[in-house]
Amino acid sequence: MKIFAVGMNYAQHNKELLGTLLKPENPVIFMKPDSALLKDHKPFFIPDDLGRIEYEAEVVVRICRLGKTISERFAHRYYDAVTLGIDFTARELQQKLRAAGQPWELSKGFDGAAALGDWVDVDKFRDVQALNFHLDINGQTVQEGFTGDMLYKIDELIAYISRYFTLKTGDILYTGTPAGTGPVEVNDHLEGYLTDRKVLEMNCK
């Protein structure tokens, strides 16, 4: 199983992080190891040696068939379920790596850094590119997004990634985070929603 993730896919988050609204020339793709996956509502153990850890809530899609060099107009056939995930990020480490021109993996791929909610069939939604989603911490909404605001849409991402990697059944794609990222602390209770459907619930320890 491969875990793909997309950086800089919402303009307001780019402004928040980088001070610019600009759309990247191509999708910014990185990967997480399978040991980063955290599912079944298990707790997230905050690393004590990576500095500030921030949540990045994002819509995640599940690949359901084998594909290579997929045409964008057929990409919708290659995923069958969506959920909300959290791309946990060691923010200070990421900034240090970025400043040095080095890869992000150490700040994005540590154990538990890819939290995953419960899958929902795409058929349950009229349009996956028109989904509202939000993350609550301790009962307060801290981050909200709308998939229509993605700079690169889901089908575009799948077409682009499949030029470089063969997609396989069970691969997952984190599609990018909107503005509103922030830190998590020990004892935080996280709840994630797709529209009004709660798909993610977990504690930080």
Side-chain angles (χ1 to χ4, degrees):
M1 182 197 70
K2 299 186 291 297
I3 303 172
F4 298 100
V6 183
M8 302 169 60
N9 203 29
Y10 286 82
Q12 292 299 326
H13 177 60
N14 294 348
K15 184 177 181 181
E16 175 182 72
L17 203 61
L18 304 171
T20 177
L21 291 168
L22 291 179
K23 179 179 180 178
E25 185 177 350
N26 292 300
V28 177
I29 306 298
F30 61 97
M31 298 178 73
K32 292 173 177 264
D34 58 6
S35 53
L37 195 62
L38 182 65
K39 55 184 183 177
D40 302 324
H41 310 287
K42 292 177 180 176
F44 172 60
F45 289 90
I46 299 175
D48 57 10
D49 58 348
L50 292 181
R52 176 186 173 105
I53 304 295
E54 294 193 356
Y55 57 82
E56 295 189 4
E58 42 199 270
V59 170
V60 185
V61 299
R62 182 177 69 194
I63 301 301
C64 63
R65 59 194 293 189
L66 187 72
K68 173 72 174 170
T69 56
I70 299 162
S71 166
E72 186 180 328
R73 66 193 179 105
F74 296 128
H76 66 280
R77 300 179 180 176
Y78 287 82
Y79 56 96
D80 64 351
V82 296
T83 190
L84 195 75
I86 301 176
D87 169 17
F88 284 114
T89 303
R91 185 68 71 203
E92 295 155 329
L93 178 57
Q94 184 194 33
Q95 291 167 345
K96 181 178 177 181
L97 292 168
R98 181 187 278 124
Q102 296 177 1
W104 297 353
E105 271 75 5
L106 294 179
S107 66
K108 292 278 195 177
F110 54 89
D111 288 357
L116 192 67
D118 299 325
W119 294 111
V120 182
D121 289 346
V122 292
D123 297 343
K124 302 290 186 185
F125 301 105
R126 192 163 55 88
D127 182 1
V128 295
Q129 213 59 72
L131 292 179
N132 290 293
F133 59 97
H134 68 275
L135 176 69
D136 293 358
I137 296 183
N138 304 326
Q140 300 293 317
T141 298
V142 295
Q143 190 176 21
E144 298 177 273
F146 175 62
T147 56
D149 292 333
M150 288 180 184
L151 298 175
Y152 289 98
K153 310 305 184 191
I154 293 169
D155 291 356
E156 291 178 88
L157 295 170
I158 287 174
Y160 181 78
I161 291 169
S162 71
R163 287 165 48 188
Y164 301 92
F165 304 94
T166 297
L167 298 180
K168 295 184 177 181
T169 301
D171 288 348
I172 58 179
L173 170 60
Y174 285 68
T175 58
T177 195
T181 62
V184 288
E185 308 288 349
V186 173
N187 296 324
D188 279 348
H189 182 66
L190 279 59
E191 297 171 293
Y193 294 81
L194 281 180
T195 61
D196 58 353
R197 188 189 301 256
K198 182 160 72 171
V199 293
L200 181 145
E201 185 168 12
M202 58 188 296
N203 294 309
C204 292
K205 295 188 174 181

